[in-house]
């Protein structure tokens, strides 16, 4: 077991409705196209597959997909959508859990590597990806760039969403590289808000490149989004692709 926080049944049950925008065709179209191209004729392994937001449509695209998921509750939601024979899922953490076979693609999307709260665990995640890859296979991560440029001196919080039904802001421990995402979500029309938070270890692109090197992987591509926009110093996130030497 890693330091990742476990998703509860209540969180899993409302995950799809809260993340419905991330499941739209506008978001998923470029994502699935990009991943399918990298997988080619081979199978793909998704670390932290969750409720299948990406894994299921990628499987429907014709790519055989296998998943690893820490939360049994998240996996149970996925299982209501697709059967085990079509998309097998192993319960376990993405840093140490192994599944049979090798893959042309291993991928980890939507900032999920930050659920591993230590650098050692994040390194082990890269090593776990490498051990599952065929020679020439790729490991893909989608991750936000830490928004520390928005922090003036002595400020520790940065808002990331201020809308009618949701207030979200991140607080930072700059020494430990820990980010805590705070959420105030209005579920109904009675004016009451539900409060929640989650801890993450943020990492810079250069730090990930070093983790990849430790795992025997080489950086092949870094772009700003799934539409392949160039990655610049102003990019809010990156899609990085590391390749296992043939």
């Amino acid at each position: 077991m890693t330091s990742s926080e476990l998703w509860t049944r209540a969180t899993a049950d409302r995950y799809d409705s809260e993340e419905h925008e991330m499941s739209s065709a506008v978001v998923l179209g470029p994502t699935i196209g990009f991943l399918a191209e990298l997988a080619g004729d081979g199978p793909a392994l998704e670390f932290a597959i969750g409720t299948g937001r990406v894994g299921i449509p990628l499987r429907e695209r014709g790519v055989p997909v296998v998943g690893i998921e820490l939360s049994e509750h998240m996996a149970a939601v996925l299982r209501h959508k697709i059967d085990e024979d079509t998309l097998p899922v192993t319960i376990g953490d993405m840093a140490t859990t192994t599944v049979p076979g090798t893959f042309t693609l291993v991928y980890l999307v939507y900032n999920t590597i930050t659920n591993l709260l230590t650098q050692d665990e994040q390194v082990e995640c890269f090593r776990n990806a490498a051990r599952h890859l065929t020679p020439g296979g790729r490991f893909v991560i989608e991750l936000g760039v830490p928004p520390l440029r928005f922090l003036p001196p002595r400020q520790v919080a940065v808002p990331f969403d201020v809308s009618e039904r949701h207030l979200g802001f991140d607080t930072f421990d700059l020494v430990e590289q820990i980010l805590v995402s705070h959420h105030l979500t209005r579920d109904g029309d009675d004016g009451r808000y539900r409060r929640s938070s989650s801890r993450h270890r943020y990492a810079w692109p250069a730090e990930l490149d070093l983790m990849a090197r430790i795992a025997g992987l080489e950086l092949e591509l870094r772009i700003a989004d799934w539409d392949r926009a160039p990655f610049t110093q102003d990019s809010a996130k990156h899609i990085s692709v590391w390749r296992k030497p043939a």
Side-chain angles (χ1 to χ4, degrees), residues 33-54:
F34 186 96
L35 295 174
E37 179 181 336
L38 287 187
D41 296 328
L45 170 62
E46 180 172 356
F47 285 172
I49 194 169
T51 64
R53 180 182 69 89
V54 174

Side-chain angles (χ1 to χ4, degrees), residues 136-208:
R138 277 92 169 196
F139 182 35
V140 177
I141 283 181
E142 176 188 22
L143 183 60
V145 176
L148 301 189
R149 294 169 66 187
F150 293 99
L151 282 175
R154 292 181 294 279
Q155 181 174 313
V156 297
V158 173
F160 60 84
D161 184 36
V162 180
S163 57
E164 183 179 354
R165 292 192 171 272
H166 179 251
L167 302 175
F169 61 94
D170 294 330
T171 55
F172 295 86
D173 180 335
L174 302 183
V175 175
E176 299 296 331
Q177 288 186 211
I178 294 296
L179 172 160
V180 181
S181 285
H182 305 265
H183 303 268
L184 293 170
T185 306
R186 193 171 77 181
D187 290 327
D189 295 323
D190 58 2
R192 291 187 296 178
Y193 282 78
R194 170 173 44 84
R195 181 177 180 179
S196 62
S197 64
S198 58
R199 298 175 70 231
H200 308 266
R201 182 186 186 272
Y202 64 84
W204 300 96
E207 185 181 6
L208 299 181

Side-chain angles (χ1 to χ4, degrees), residues 104-124:
T104 56
L105 174 68
V106 178
Y107 64 95
L108 178 55
V109 297
Y110 204 20
N111 303 320
T112 312
I113 193 171
T114 65
N115 291 358
L116 299 170
L117 298 179
T118 70
Q119 186 182 67
D120 286 343
E121 290 174 354
Q122 291 178 352
V123 169
E124 288 306 312

Side-chain angles (χ1 to χ4, degrees), residues 201-242:
R201 182 186 186 272
Y202 64 84
W204 300 96
E207 185 181 6
L208 299 181
D209 290 343
L210 184 55
M211 294 181 190
R213 184 183 301 181
I214 291 170
L217 305 177
E218 302 170 347
L219 180 66
E220 182 176 68
L221 177 68
R222 175 164 292 130
I223 51 182
D225 55 39
W226 298 107
D227 289 315
R228 297 179 180 266
F231 179 73
T232 71
Q233 64 179 0
D234 296 320
S235 298
K237 73 173 185 177
H238 62 97
I239 315 297
S240 294
V241 180
W242 297 274

